[in-house]
């Protein structure tokens, strides 16, 4: 339950440590009853709009506090700080660089809601500093950077939850259990079409003043160039900072494919796309239309020789959305995330067990943020572990590489390499 946290209540709850008003109050060996100190890396829409409230709703239940925030944009930082003042009765420390935040000895864990091209750098730095992390998807833009970050997490034995939160929904947990029964028969294809009238990156463009932004911190390892407010605020639409709908949207879909079916890595992938509808003065470089196709080697519970997974986005017309698993005995329809159902449509109705339209029975599942917060103490692996993040990253990067080269890509899990084949 989310409730306000006044300064008076805060001081009363921490009376045993009156020195808590200083940064030194956070310094301790984390125990079952100790307050967990959390830092926020990235204070944009996901950071302030999802990560902070996602954590805050459990702050008293799990005894945590957001104590530090960082973002290259002053306006975003100050918005985050205002929230901590409202919730905890004191302002979090604020920085423009992630380096200053991860250097804080009294911060136990961080949430990473930065730009796509920054995720792996921030995650690796957090792990090397001994911080646990909640990291947004897509995990990374290049396989080398993803491998490096994942290896750092495992070397440091950190607890990392990836922000593919759909796998923590009770409805998709129910879909997973239903899939295991084999009632769909032999599954040959899984598909999602996620469409819209306009690319999502247009909604992020805003007026940003150069004097309010640490431009170099935003660019990170990208080449320096003159300040551009559209490039900064609309970074989702530029290939230098994001690779468009497949990692941006299909990462959720691919993660659910893995979660529901138990598959880990695709054997091959092809992908095509381009900008066909939204061409304007902003010169966005991410495609507004894309279609990716993966082949997975795993058989479904009822048998088969693997299955095909297809994802497409049409940002020129919002109709035609789909999310279905097709078996030879029926279909699992998940277009409505909160109300998936099973039907014999198109399957062998007379031979199979499916009759009519059957709502999927929900299976209890812990909230995604709560799962992570609890794992910080138990040291168990969360629902979307670093391995799950690596798996969706491999699939998305394969698609991007195919899109860029026009070639079919294959993945070798033994050598952790993607190459044409």
């Amino acid at each position: 339950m989310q409730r306000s946290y006044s300064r008076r209540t805060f001081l009363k709850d921490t009376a045993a440590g009156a020195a808590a008003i200083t940064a030194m109050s956070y310094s301790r060996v984390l125990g079952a009853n100790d307050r967990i100190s959390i830092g926020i890396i990235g204070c944009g829409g996901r950071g302030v709009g999802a990560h902070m409230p996602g954590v805050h709703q459990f702050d008293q239940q799990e005894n945590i506090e957001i104590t530090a925030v960082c973002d290259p944009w002053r306006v975003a930082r100050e918005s985050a700080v205002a929230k901590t003042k409202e919730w905890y009765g004191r302002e979090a420390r604020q920085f423009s660089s992630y380096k200053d935040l991860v250097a804080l000895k009294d911060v136990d864990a961080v949430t990473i809601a930065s730009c796509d091209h920054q995720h792996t750098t921030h995650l690796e730095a957090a792990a090397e500093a001994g911080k646990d992390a909640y990291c947004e998807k897509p995990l990374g833009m290049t396989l080398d950077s993803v491998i490096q970050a994942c290896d750092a997490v495992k070397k440091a034995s950190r607890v990392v939850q990836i922000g593919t939160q759909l796998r923590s929904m009770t409805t998709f947990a129910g879909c997973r259990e239903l899939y295991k029964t084999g009632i769909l028969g032999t599954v040959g294809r899984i598909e999602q079409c996620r469409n819209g009238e306009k690319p999502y990156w247009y909604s992020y463009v805003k007026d940003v003043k150069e004097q309010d932004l640490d431009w170099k911190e935003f660019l990170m390892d990208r080449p320096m160039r003159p300040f551009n407010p559209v490039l900064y605020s609309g970074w989702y639409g530029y290939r230098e900072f994001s690779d468009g709908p497949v990692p941006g949207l299909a990462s959720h879909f691919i993660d659910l494919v893995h979660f529901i079916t138990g598959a880990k890595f695709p054997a091959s992938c092809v992908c095509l796309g381009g900008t066909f509808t939204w061409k304007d003065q902003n010169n966005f470089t991410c495609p507004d239309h894309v279609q990716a196709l993966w082949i997975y080697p795993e058989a479904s519970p009822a048998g088969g020789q693997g299955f095909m997974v297809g994802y497409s986005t049409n940002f020129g017309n919002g109709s035609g959305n789909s999310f279905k698993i097709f078996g030879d005995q029926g279909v699992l329809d998940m277009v409505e995330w909160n109300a998936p159902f099973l039907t014999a449509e198109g399957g062998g109705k007379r031979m199979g067990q499916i009759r009519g339209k059957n709502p999927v029975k929900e299976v209890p599942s812990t909230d995604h943020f709560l799962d992570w917060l609890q794992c910080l103490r138990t040291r168990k692996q969360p629902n979307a572990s670093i391995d799950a993040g690596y798996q969706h990253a491999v699939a998305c990067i394969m698609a991007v590489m195919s899109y860029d080269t026009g070639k079919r890509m294959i993945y070798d899990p033994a050598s952790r390499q993607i190459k044409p084949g």
Side-chain angles (χ1 to χ4, degrees):
M1 177 178 175
Q2 184 173 335
R3 61 187 176 91
S4 61
Y5 203 33
S6 69
R7 182 176 179 83
R8 176 175 296 180
T9 303
F10 174 81
L11 293 175
K12 180 180 178 181
D13 287 355
T14 57
I21 238 15
T22 69
M24 290 299 293
S25 67
Y26 303 119
S27 299
R28 71 280 184 276
V29 176
L30 185 62
N33 299 315
D34 288 319
R35 176 156 295 179
I36 296 175
S37 172
I38 292 181
I40 306 295
I41 300 177
C43 302
R46 291 301 297 168
V48 173
H51 287 202
M52 290 185 69
V55 167
H56 171 58
Q57 65 182 319
F58 303 110
D59 57 14
Q60 296 191 43
Q61 174 183 327
E62 298 302 317
N63 194 17
I64 66 97
E65 181 180 346
I66 297 169
T67 65
V69 303
C70 76
D71 194 281
W73 190 27
R74 178 188 59 80
V75 174
R77 286 198 308 275
E78 292 181 353
S79 174
V81 168
K83 288 291 184 185
T84 62
K85 177 70 172 179
E86 173 190 345
W87 293 340
Y88 309 113
R90 58 175 168 179
E91 295 182 349
R93 293 158 288 178
Q94 60 173 298
F95 308 96
S96 64
S97 175
Y98 74 96
K99 294 178 182 178
D100 295 318
L101 190 150
V102 299
L104 296 173
K105 300 298 183 183
D106 51 36
V107 167
D108 303 300
V110 300
T111 73
I112 299 171
S114 50
C115 307
D116 291 0
H117 73 291
Q118 301 168 338
H119 287 173
T120 50
T121 298
H122 291 163
L123 180 57
E124 183 180 358
E128 290 178 345
K131 320 292 186 193
D132 298 316
Y134 181 109
C135 185
E136 267 304 325
K137 58 79 201 165
L139 183 53
M141 294 181 66
T142 67
L143 187 58
D144 286 345
S145 68
V146 167
I147 289 173
Q148 195 166 312
C150 290
D151 287 351
V153 167
K154 294 192 172 186
K155 181 179 180 180
S157 300
R158 294 300 89 197
V159 171
V160 172
Q161 178 88 294
I162 303 301
T164 46
Q165 71 276 8
L166 300 185
R167 66 163 55 206
S168 290
M169 290 180 63
T170 56
T171 50
F172 287 127
C175 290
R176 182 189 196 191
E177 293 307 308
L178 186 145
Y179 183 88
K180 290 178 182 178
T181 68
I183 195 170
L184 290 170
T186 300
V187 171
R189 181 177 175 87
I190 303 173
E191 72 172 23
Q192 182 178 65
C193 303
R194 194 167 174 182
N195 303 324
E197 294 181 7
K198 195 173 187 177
Y200 52 84
W201 42 87
Y202 280 85
S203 64
Y204 290 91
V205 175
K206 57 178 66 72
D207 183 27
V208 179
K209 305 299 182 184
E210 184 172 7
Q211 62 268 26
D212 292 331
L213 182 69
D214 187 336
W215 179 238
K216 186 176 181 180
E217 183 70 19
F218 161 69
L219 290 175
M220 197 167 281
D221 60 354
R222 281 11 183 196
M224 179 58 68
R225 80 292 305 273
F227 168 74
N228 183 330
V230 175
L231 192 70
Y232 170 70
S233 60
W235 62 265
Y236 275 118
Y238 294 99
R239 288 293 310 276
E240 200 170 358
F241 311 107
S242 176
D243 282 317
V246 172
L249 299 180
S251 53
H252 280 300
F253 166 61
I254 286 295
D255 183 69
L256 283 174
V257 169
H258 297 164
F259 175 69
I260 292 171
T261 69
K264 290 181 171 60
F265 301 106
S268 62
C269 178
V270 293
C271 182
L272 290 171
T275 300
F276 302 107
T277 304
W278 290 93
K279 300 179 180 181
D280 58 33
Q281 71 278 4
N282 290 310
N283 295 315
F284 288 118
T285 53
C286 287
D288 60 10
H289 291 64
V290 67
Q291 185 154 1
L293 199 63
W294 298 266
I295 300 293
Y296 280 81
E298 288 87 355
S300 59
Q305 301 298 314
F307 51 82
M308 185 177 292
V309 175
Y311 173 85
S312 65
T313 279
N314 170 2
F315 283 145
N317 187 298
S319 66
N321 289 319
S322 175
F323 185 6
K324 297 178 179 180
I325 298 179
F326 296 91
D328 62 359
Q329 300 299 314
V331 176
L332 177 56
D333 190 317
M334 298 173 285
V335 176
E336 295 295 334
W337 296 354
N338 292 311
F341 62 89
L342 182 66
T343 175
E345 179 184 3
K349 184 174 181 181
R350 295 180 180 177
M351 301 181 348
Q353 308 171 47
I354 306 170
R355 296 291 184 274
K357 181 177 177 180
N358 307 276
V360 174
K361 182 180 179 180
E362 296 183 27
V363 171
S365 183
T366 303
D367 176 270
H368 209 58
F369 282 101
L370 178 58
D371 176 51
W372 176 60
L373 294 173
Q374 291 176 338
C375 287
L376 297 184
R377 296 190 191 278
T378 66
R379 310 311 294 172
K380 294 180 180 179
Q381 286 297 308
N383 198 21
S385 69
I386 191 65
D387 287 331
Y390 180 73
Q391 289 158 17
H392 89 239
V394 166
C396 290
I397 292 169
M398 288 174 73
V400 172
M401 291 176 67
S402 176
Y403 173 89
D404 286 339
T405 63
K407 297 179 180 179
R408 175 177 178 263
M409 291 292 157
I410 60 174
Y411 177 67
D412 178 7
S415 64
R416 298 196 291 183
Q417 289 186 329
I418 298 172
K419 55 186 178 182

